[in-house]
Amino acid sequence: MPMQNWFRDAKLGIFVHWGVYAVDGVPESWSFYTGQVSHEQYMKQLHGFTASRYDPGAWADLFVRAGARYAVLTARHHDGVALWDTAHGNLDVVRHTPAGRDLLAGYTDELRERGLKVGFYYSHSDWSHPDYASIRHLEPGEEPANPYSHAAPGAEDPEAWVRYLAYRDGQVGELVERFRPDLLWFDGEWERTEEQWGLRELARLVLAENPYTVFNARMLSHGDYATPEQGVPLQAPDGPWELCLTVNDSWGFQHRDHNHKSVRQLVRYFAETIGAGGNLLLDVGPRDDGTILPEQAERLEGLGAWIARHADAVYGTVAGLPPGHHYGPSTLSADRRTLYLVCFDAPRETVSVRGLRNRIRRVTVVGTGVELGHHVTGGLHEVPGVTWLGAPGPDDVDAYATVLALELDGELDLYRGTGRD
């Protein structure tokens, strides 16, 4: 199936890392994998996971205020703890935690009621499953890998691996049949080859039930879009892509992590991402009771307020100017006739655009509608001059990033040459 148009135009999604790891505030799954805590201690968190204040409707309302068009919830992380009442495996929050109920259904229903697309994170790997560490994905002579993930040399058990894949496919099948997610965000792919994972068969299983399901790149050759993490790429990936980014430094809730990015920083990340043609998947980590930290909610709402003021420059746009034409990111309307320039600092005298062949019909400040002057200096033959835009006044400068809309006389036409010899 071709890439779904909703994803290309979504611009913002919310990533939610929620699981038993929020009880002690330890890194999700990795804390026992690396030996920070024992597996036994990690699993004791099951007894404290209550979801007692979980309100998926409140989550969905917050995501709408943030300007998001989709959300992705961790249905099962590498620790193997499922957030729904799975019939495959015996480790889920319904049977083994005080929460005692399926946590996915309400999330799915509330998102869809508000017009948001539904995504689930699911890890191919399960470091708690007895059949998982039954084969190896190592080159001959490599050092033994972590025992949670790989069999010891000579201890491979192909039959156990077949059982594991049946378990993995059974759980993914449940998610698709029961909840029909619009997007599946897979993870853990680095621990096996595509053939070992049986990804062709897994893709067929999902798409037979819902052919419109979107996959991230961790379905390897069956992925629909690239998934860089924690930093805007200096060169945008080919095709659709999404940057996943934490509001603080942690994916899940951690008591000691108070290093939350400011709204201004998040606006910058967001503008740079959509200016390069990507989506931002912004992560929050709810506490074990299901509440989202006030600091994180405030960041989402702050970002959402900026998006609401500049919606024309966000939704229905594509990647803007290549680097070098404007000191900042930009977006372009779908008809390629309106260019939106983002200015992170308050312009002092003018804003310049280089290489623009088009005649400008009008320049306005997005959000206030104030019209600005413009003129061109220089230029020779096929090499256009520099276009200078008047700086907006103090009342029209946004606190986080000011956006100027340039209405062009036709589709964007740029000069990309080296100039006259």
Side-chain angles (χ1 to χ4, degrees):
M1 294 293 295
M3 185 58 172
Q4 301 302 302
N5 288 333
W6 73 260
F7 181 85
R8 293 180 181 275
D9 194 44
K11 307 304 181 186
L12 179 67
I14 305 300
F15 213 174
V16 185
H17 274 67
W18 189 38
V20 298
Y21 38 85
V23 174
D24 291 342
V26 296
E28 60 290 334
S29 306
W30 291 98
S31 52
F32 72 80
Y33 185 88
T34 61
Q36 179 179 336
V37 300
S38 67
H39 186 266
E40 179 183 10
Q41 182 63 37
Y42 184 94
M43 287 303 172
K44 285 182 179 179
Q45 295 177 103
L46 290 164
H47 306 305
F49 187 74
T50 66
S52 58
R53 299 174 63 192
Y54 173 44
D55 182 349
W59 282 14
D61 287 338
L62 174 61
F63 301 163
V64 169
R65 293 196 299 274
R69 297 290 176 86
Y70 65 109
V72 178
L73 172 62
T74 47
R76 181 177 70 66
H77 209 271
H78 315 313
D79 59 11
V81 181
L83 295 190
W84 76 100
D85 53 336
T86 179
H88 300 273
N90 62 357
L91 190 54
D92 60 63
V93 299
V94 180
R95 288 175 287 181
H96 296 288
T97 75
R101 65 190 189 280
D102 168 22
L103 301 176
L104 301 187
Y107 157 88
T108 302
D109 294 341
E110 297 292 347
L111 260 60
R112 290 206 165 113
E113 184 175 317
R114 291 157 180 80
L116 302 178
K117 297 295 185 180
V118 173
F120 288 130
Y121 168 110
Y122 183 88
S123 177
H124 294 296
S125 55
D126 181 344
W127 296 331
S128 297
H129 195 282
D131 291 326
Y132 183 69
S134 55
I135 61 172
R136 296 164 60 79
H137 174 34
L138 299 169
E139 296 297 326
E142 282 192 72
E143 292 296 321
N146 193 295
Y148 287 112
S149 59
H150 288 79
E156 295 87 349
D157 185 348
E159 292 183 0
W161 182 246
V162 171
R163 292 195 300 269
Y164 178 77
L165 290 183
Y167 151 79
R168 189 274 315 265
D169 292 351
Q171 287 199 329
V172 173
E174 285 179 333
L175 292 175
V176 176
E177 293 166 13
R178 196 179 304 179
F179 305 108
R180 294 186 68 82
D182 302 288
L183 183 150
L184 283 173
W185 209 102
F186 287 100
D187 200 7
E189 83 296 340
W190 68 88
E191 293 199 321
R192 302 287 187 266
T193 66
E194 183 163 334
E195 292 73 22
Q196 287 174 320
W197 284 126
L199 295 188
R200 177 182 297 179
E201 293 74 18
L202 181 61
R204 285 175 177 168
L205 180 154
V206 173
L207 297 178
E209 182 68 27
N210 181 8
Y212 302 104
T213 308
V214 175
F215 297 139
N216 72 336
R218 296 169 195 193
M219 276 290 280
L220 301 178
S221 69
H222 299 278
D224 295 306
Y225 68 91
T227 317
E229 283 191 32
Q230 294 288 51
V232 179
L234 297 179
Q235 182 174 339
D238 293 332
W241 62 280
E242 166 197 80
L243 168 66
C244 54
L245 178 78
T246 52
V247 171
N248 53 5
D249 293 329
S250 309
W251 296 104
F253 171 69
Q254 294 192 30
H255 304 81
R256 297 178 182 84
D257 187 353
H258 306 293
N259 191 31
H260 295 90
K261 299 172 182 66
S262 67
V263 173
R264 180 173 285 103
Q265 288 172 323
L266 293 177
V267 167
R268 182 180 288 263
Y269 271 110
F270 179 68
E272 290 177 346
T273 299
I274 66 171
N279 290 351
L280 178 63
L281 184 64
L282 187 58
D283 177 78
V284 295
R287 290 171 284 215
D288 65 272
D289 64 3
T291 55
I292 294 174
L293 290 174
E295 300 92 330
Q296 297 190 348
E298 289 167 6
R299 266 63 172 188
L300 296 190
E301 291 179 335
L303 175 59
W306 184 89
I307 292 174
R309 290 193 298 272
H310 303 91
D312 289 346
V314 174
Y315 305 115
T317 65
V318 296
L321 299 170
H325 291 270
H326 162 62
Y327 292 111
S330 59
T331 60
L332 185 64
S333 61
D335 65 5
R336 304 185 64 81
R337 290 173 175 266
T338 303
L339 179 64
Y340 299 97
L341 306 180
V342 180
C343 304
F344 292 128
D345 298 316
R348 295 183 179 179
E349 178 183 356
T350 55
V351 175
S352 66
V353 185
R354 294 169 296 284
L356 184 63
R357 287 192 173 115
N358 299 82
R359 184 174 63 85
I360 297 176
R361 296 184 183 276
R362 191 169 72 133
V363 180
T364 55
V365 180
V366 178
T368 70
V370 168
E371 191 164 345
L372 304 175
H374 61 280
H375 67 281
V376 178
T377 60
L380 180 64
H381 303 314
E382 76 279 8
V383 182
V386 176
T387 300
W388 301 93
L389 316 174
D395 291 342
D396 298 300
V397 172
D398 188 87
Y400 300 127
T402 305
V403 182
L404 308 182
L406 283 62
E407 298 174 22
L408 309 176
D409 63 351
E411 293 189 12
L412 177 67
D413 184 12
L414 291 179
Y415 174 75
R416 297 285 290 161
T418 58
R420 184 180 177 187
D421 293 336

